[in-house]
Amino acid sequence: MAFVGSSGSVGGVRAAALAGAQKCDSRKGGDFVSNRNKSNVTMMAWTEAGGKEELVGSDGSTVVVLGGQKVLLKAVDGEVYAVSNKCAHLGLPLEGKVLKAKYDVQPNCVTCAAHGTSFDIKTGEVVGKWCPSLPGFVANLKKPAPLPTYPCRVVDGKVEVDV
């Protein structure tokens, strides 16, 4: 765990020298607190999800639990992408015991089986209409929102995700 000082340095290293996607925490009174009001220091926290071939299997997708998050891994054109397995509308699982995401509604998208919204697997952005399978009043319970995405890479045949 890196500690961020008010000058924006981490252990004597300037924050500008670091790159990544996870915010660091600062220590205050013995507890870890959010670093929102300090420098936006980021660090990569790569977590191995398993072998590429075993993870994506024959259908090209799987769900893994990393850092307490359910992450949907999907192979597209030989690349592996990682998105949250919780739909941005009501938080239902995209891939679960009952619901099964669809991948053929829009190119390079994952489509929620519960309400039909398609999300770009690379960016998480909504593609097409928001909640087309639901009545308007239910669809409008929440405004359109992107699906959280996670940086993903393959190193020596192993998929790693920054969660």
Side-chain angles (χ1 to χ4, degrees):
M1 176 63 64
F3 299 101
V4 180
S6 60
S7 66
S9 63
V10 178
V13 178
R14 292 290 308 154
L18 300 173
Q22 297 289 320
K23 285 187 179 179
C24 291
D25 293 330
S26 60
R27 182 159 266 204
K28 183 175 183 179
D31 296 320
F32 287 99
V33 295
S34 174
N35 189 29
R36 290 184 191 156
N37 296 326
K38 302 202 185 237
S39 297
N40 193 12
V41 176
T42 56
M43 297 180 69
M44 300 305 268
W46 295 105
T47 303
E48 186 177 308
K52 180 181 177 182
E53 299 305 319
E54 65 193 42
L55 286 176
V56 296
S58 61
D59 67 350
S61 66
T62 194
V63 175
V64 294
V65 178
L66 301 171
Q69 308 263 353
K70 288 187 178 180
V71 177
L72 172 63
L73 299 173
K74 174 70 178 157
V76 177
D77 298 328
E79 298 291 324
V80 179
Y81 296 92
V83 297
S84 172
N85 193 45
K86 285 185 179 181
C87 178
H89 182 239
L90 296 175
L92 297 171
L94 294 171
E95 285 282 346
K97 293 177 182 173
V98 176
L99 296 174
K100 300 294 179 193
K102 300 174 187 172
Y103 301 101
D104 56 356
V105 177
Q106 297 275 351
N108 298 328
C109 289
V110 56
T111 301
C112 179
H115 57 74
T117 299
S118 292
F119 300 94
D120 185 300
I121 199 77
K122 298 176 184 179
T123 66
E125 294 299 318
V126 175
V127 176
K129 189 175 178 189
W130 179 250
C131 301
S133 330
L134 297 178
F137 72 93
V138 177
N140 294 329
L141 289 175
K142 188 171 179 187
K143 293 183 180 183
L147 193 62
T149 61
Y150 304 100
C152 187
R153 66 184 183 186
V154 178
V155 178
D156 296 327
K158 301 287 184 186
V159 176
E160 295 180 346
V161 181
D162 180 23
V163 190

